[in-house]
Amino acid sequence: TGLTTGQRVVTVQKGPLYRVKGSHVTLWCKVSGYQGPAEQNFQWSIYLPSAPEREVQIVSTMDPSFPYAIYTQRVRSRGIFVERLQGDAVLLHITELQDRDAGQYECHTPNTDERYFGSYSAKTNLSVIPDTLSASMAPQALTLTEGDAVELTCEVSKSTAQHTHLSVGWYLLQGAGERHAKEVLTLSKDFILKPGPSYEQRFLEGDVRLSKVGNTTYKLFIGGVKPSDQGQLYCEAAEWIEDPDETWKDISHKETERTSLAVVSQGRDLSVDIAAAESSLSEGDTLQLNCLVGAQKRSSRHFKVIWLFDSVEVARVDPHGVLIWKGDYEERAKLGLLRAFKPSNTVYVLIIYEVGLKDKGTYQCSVSEMKTPGDLHSIQTNVSSGIQVNVKPIGHHMHLSVSTSTPRVRVGDPLSLRCEVQGASGPVSLRWWHLPPQHPGHRVLVATMERDGTLSLGSAYQDGRARGSLRLEKESSGTFTLVIPSTLDEDDGGQYRCEATQWARGRNWTEKGEAAVTVSSMGLGLHATLRSRIATVRYRQSFELVCQVNASYTLEEMPASVRWLFQPSPPTGPSHELVRVFPSGSVVWGRTQPHFQGKAQLGKDGTSFRLHIHGALPANEGTYQCEVEVWRRNVLPRGQPAASTESNAVGIKVVLPESKLQVAATDSSVEIASGNTAIECRIVFAPNNSQFAVTWYLLPPLAAATPLQIVRASYSSILEYGSEFSSPAQKSRFLSQRVSSNIFQLQILSANHGDWGRYYCVVEEWLWLVDGWYKLGEGTSGRTTLKFKLPGEQLQMEETNHSTSAREGEEATLPCRLQGARLPGTQLSATWFQVQGSGRASALLTLRPDGTVEYPQERLAGRLYLRRPSAGDFSLTLSSVERGDAGAYYCQLQEWQQQSKEKDWALRASARSGYTQLTTIPPESTVLSRICSSPSLLNFILYLPLVLILLLALAVFCWCCKFRK
């Protein structure tokens, strides 16, 4: 309602719809009121219950790359496809409905109109319900005479939660092709009996009926079968549900096993056949022959049967059942070695016990029909074809051979062993043994087949969960096959022995044979290699990673899972799991990198796993790896895998768009006397959609000084000061401003000589790229030198650099002297600076023109003294030298003049000294060090031995003079 002529309308099958898991489902969609070509395009998507707001693309009539990764394989294999009914109507086919297909489906038609007008999509809900329908009928092989009655029973049940109806019908398959079944009789979903065309008249006559007994039992009755009823009869049940558009849809079908019906006409045809339980015997065995009589109305007819051996009569049974033996057979019958009897009017049996070589030959049976039991002449006679019976003498040599079609397998592969017995003249029993190589002389029973065919498994092989269900089969009279579905481990290798025992006349013979099998671990040789054709991709360019798995065994049939790992650049910790693909084909996406899910497409080709990333973003830059796990064949992929491997890492670099930024790089200078100043940073060229961050730096006057960060203004105008400029006083003096679209300025308020140096800026270009801001590049400006110029003549000072040293704890004097006289009526001020390790100078002491002294660093107030300021000597004395006092120092002298008492002082001239490098010496720690550091004391110690020698000589001389007297 509310639509006008020419307005586009998209209509989809009305929901909610309920469909059975595993069934083939279709959804129709059509468009009307459109403009443009007669053939419109359609796109199908789904909104899953787990994420009802997120569209998941399934299939498109126009774009092969439209499906998301979760549906790509099913679309390629036509498990999901779109059938075009006409130009503006389609059917969506899901050939095998899965639980994950439940959700809200959207049909969208891309616009072909001149303007948007109308609806372009429509939605419907689909729910997936379990298939609970079951139908069963016991299979039979019936041979009936024309006119006999037959009754078949079919059990049908369901347990669907929704309201549904059942239909139950019988069908007849005839001919070798068995493609087209004839409908016999059906009870429809509306509880109406409907016969097939061939049975309509017989249904009206009551000869064909269908009845329901209880809740689940349905019976078909055919009163008088005809030759046309011959064939395969089966029961088919269907479950129906009413859709919202009030139409009924069959959502599940089940067929039963078939009953074979043979109908014999009521003519006088007589058929005779002969069969033997075993035609190849050994001496002493028992021979049983069956003569089978085929005729209509057999119970009311009379037959005479004659047994023949090599065309010679052995015995006969007359219509009354009287048995007559012929020749030597009468004596053998008396000994209990022969027996003949009539189990029914259609089956006659001849048994010869303890056959001998003389019983080897051709046997037949002749059947004659008599009108009455006493008639001498038959109505008709038929003789069976001959059956050849072979009797071998006891003791015939038996031969045995053992082989395997699986000599070398991997863990989880099946083993197939064959034991062929030739020349056996009696029943044979069989035993299979495993001889593990790790336990020499030890054997393990695998399986046994007795003479009567009874099977039993060894204790180690009875648990089918370990190796699967073992099979020991007798393919022919002398060929036995043993199949182990799944080898457990390497210990299943080794020799397998077959023992065949022949039994005859209370004696037995045993033959043995062996075959060797090697079972290798799956883990050996498993290797994964990850590669990409391109390691560096441009922004928005797609790239693909291929994980190639190789092994020394066949991988195609083994359950395998692949896990894709990603480590962002720079690394943020352990690798993140992007996605995992399980052996069942289900896909689970990781949560740490959600942006990959909508951009990644998964694929598999043999043993190659592919990860395709559409439209690379900077967030996709990093290293990728794949991890592959393999389970054993024929074993459900649960628990620990049999083998796993991790590939090499492949780095992917995403190149951002090239930066077009250009910054003026010409050097310049700014000269001021005092007050405020500004340093300019100019952008020569930059794109209009870029944002900029600017960082200001200062290069102090020292040649080896390190650039100091003053302040950084981010692209969002957030200021960040460097450590040397982080105090409140410095923040208030240095300000970064953007004065126009391409000019930034560093404002320096109340500039002083401590601000002397070269300034420059670094400009960064930032651009918004889908998921965030990214830096494309940067440019550095030229250097701007800040100088100070005064109106008067400059003061004269010594500008030569000096160096001096002082021991810690002592004092040091740093020179600063005025050369020449100052102007009359002027006063001098002096400021001492220390250059920090960063190259930035900090003021230590300031002498004002009025004679007052200021200490910017109060902790140094008691250690700093000026020598003789009144005489022009402003040398600085630093007492109690500390290790941290080492460094470069200089002084700044300024000449001031006061015009009058009311006016402020005016700066007339200025001068700056050279640098004095102070080196500190650790204090003495021993007497020796004090001696070595004192020249007078050192000289005294050196001359002490000479003085002692002179004194000794003088004492000897005096003693000698006294002795002479």
Side-chain angles (χ1 to χ4, degrees), residues 284-594:
D285 289 344
T286 298
L287 171 63
Q288 177 175 323
L289 299 170
N290 296 334
C291 183
L292 307 176
V293 180
Q296 300 89 24
K297 306 287 184 178
R298 295 179 296 274
S299 60
S300 60
R301 298 166 70 177
H302 311 284
F303 303 105
K304 178 180 68 175
V305 176
I306 299 176
W307 288 99
L308 302 172
F309 171 63
D310 288 341
S311 301
V312 176
E313 184 175 345
V314 174
R316 67 174 59 199
V317 180
D318 66 15
H320 293 288
V322 177
L323 173 62
I324 301 174
W325 294 101
K326 297 292 184 178
D328 296 339
Y329 294 99
E330 183 176 4
E331 186 63 26
R332 294 175 65 182
K334 290 178 180 180
L335 297 174
L337 299 178
L338 294 178
R339 185 185 175 198
F341 58 95
K342 173 185 173 183
S344 69
N345 203 35
T346 59
V347 178
Y348 296 80
V349 179
L350 171 65
I351 299 177
I352 303 176
Y353 299 101
E354 297 183 12
V355 295
L357 297 178
K358 62 182 179 180
D359 297 317
K360 177 181 179 180
T362 302
Y363 290 82
Q364 294 173 288
C365 67
S366 172
V367 179
S368 301
E369 183 179 2
M370 306 298 184
K371 189 172 184 180
T372 63
D375 282 356
L376 297 177
H377 301 287
S378 63
I379 302 173
Q380 57 177 332
T381 299
N382 200 348
V383 180
S384 72
S385 58
I387 183 170
Q388 183 68 35
V389 174
N390 184 32
V391 180
K392 301 176 183 177
I394 295 178
H396 194 318
H397 187 64
M398 181 174 63
H399 299 281
L400 183 147
S401 62
V402 181
S403 62
T404 177
S405 59
T406 54
R408 300 183 65 85
V409 297
R410 296 286 175 183
V411 171
D413 288 346
L415 289 182
S416 181
L417 299 144
R418 178 188 292 265
C419 183
E420 294 187 73
V421 181
Q422 297 177 338
S425 57
V428 173
S429 63
L430 204 74
R431 276 177 172 75
W432 281 98
W433 301 87
H434 177 218
L435 285 66
Q438 62 273 22
H439 301 293
H442 179 67
R443 64 178 186 174
V444 179
L445 180 63
V446 179
T448 299
M449 178 180 284
E450 301 296 344
R451 286 176 290 173
D452 59 0
T454 303
L455 299 177
S456 61
L457 300 178
S459 59
Y461 293 83
Q462 291 177 359
D463 186 0
R465 294 173 298 178
R467 297 179 177 85
S469 299
L470 271 68
R471 300 194 307 274
L472 177 54
E473 300 173 345
K474 184 177 182 180
E475 294 184 358
S476 62
S477 59
T479 303
F480 302 83
T481 301
L482 173 67
V483 177
I484 302 176
S486 177
T487 50
L488 186 60
D489 49 35
E490 295 95 327
D491 292 344
D492 281 351
Q495 297 287 335
Y496 283 82
R497 176 182 296 170
C498 173
E499 290 184 357
T501 302
Q502 176 186 349
W503 302 80
R505 306 291 293 272
R507 300 169 57 192
N508 63 78
W509 298 266
T510 299
E511 291 290 334
K512 303 176 183 179
E514 295 178 1
V517 172
T518 301
V519 180
S520 302
S521 169
M522 288 178 56
L524 299 175
L526 184 64
H527 179 69
T529 303
L530 185 63
R531 67 180 189 276
S532 173
R533 286 190 294 178
I534 49 177
T536 301
V537 298
R538 300 184 306 276
Y539 170 69
R540 285 295 190 179
Q541 180 184 2
S542 298
F543 65 93
E544 185 174 74
L545 297 161
V546 180
C547 181
Q548 178 64 50
V549 184
N550 298 305
S552 55
Y553 47 89
T554 304
L555 283 171
E556 282 77 0
E557 299 178 0
M558 293 184 178
S561 72
V562 63
R563 188 165 71 111
W564 289 95
L565 303 174
F566 173 67
Q567 177 65 267
S569 179
T572 58
S575 295
H576 302 161
E577 180 178 297
L578 292 182
V579 63
R580 183 193 290 265
V581 183
F582 290 93
S584 62
S586 60
V587 177
V588 176
W589 291 91
R591 297 182 179 179
T592 56
Q593 299 288 332

Side-chain angles (χ1 to χ4, degrees), residues 715-827:
Y715 58 80
S716 57
S717 301
I718 297 175
L719 298 180
E720 179 184 351
Y721 282 85
S723 59
E724 299 291 330
F725 296 84
S726 59
S727 67
Q730 296 286 60
K731 289 182 179 180
S732 64
R733 293 182 56 240
F734 290 89
L735 303 174
S736 178
Q737 295 181 342
R738 185 173 186 175
V739 297
S740 68
S741 61
N742 66 330
I743 296 178
F744 294 86
Q745 282 187 351
L746 175 67
Q747 298 286 340
I748 306 176
L749 306 181
S750 300
N752 57 56
H753 283 268
D755 302 328
W756 179 37
R758 292 179 295 164
Y759 293 80
Y760 66 95
C761 70
V762 175
V763 181
E764 303 169 2
E765 181 183 3
W766 291 78
L767 188 64
W768 177 264
L769 301 176
V770 180
D771 60 344
W773 288 95
Y774 291 92
K775 178 181 174 182
L776 301 187
E778 64 179 34
T780 303
S781 71
R783 272 54 171 172
T784 299
T785 304
L786 176 60
K787 301 178 180 179
F788 291 88
K789 179 180 181 183
L790 298 175
E793 295 184 3
Q794 296 297 311
L795 297 175
Q796 299 299 317
M797 292 183 65
E798 184 179 357
E799 298 181 356
T800 306
N801 295 333
H802 299 275
S803 62
T804 185
S805 62
R807 191 171 304 281
E808 295 178 19
E810 299 179 356
E811 68 177 27
T813 300
L814 310 176
C816 177
R817 299 180 183 87
L818 178 65
Q819 294 178 347
R822 65 175 186 270
L823 295 175
T826 61
Q827 294 293 334

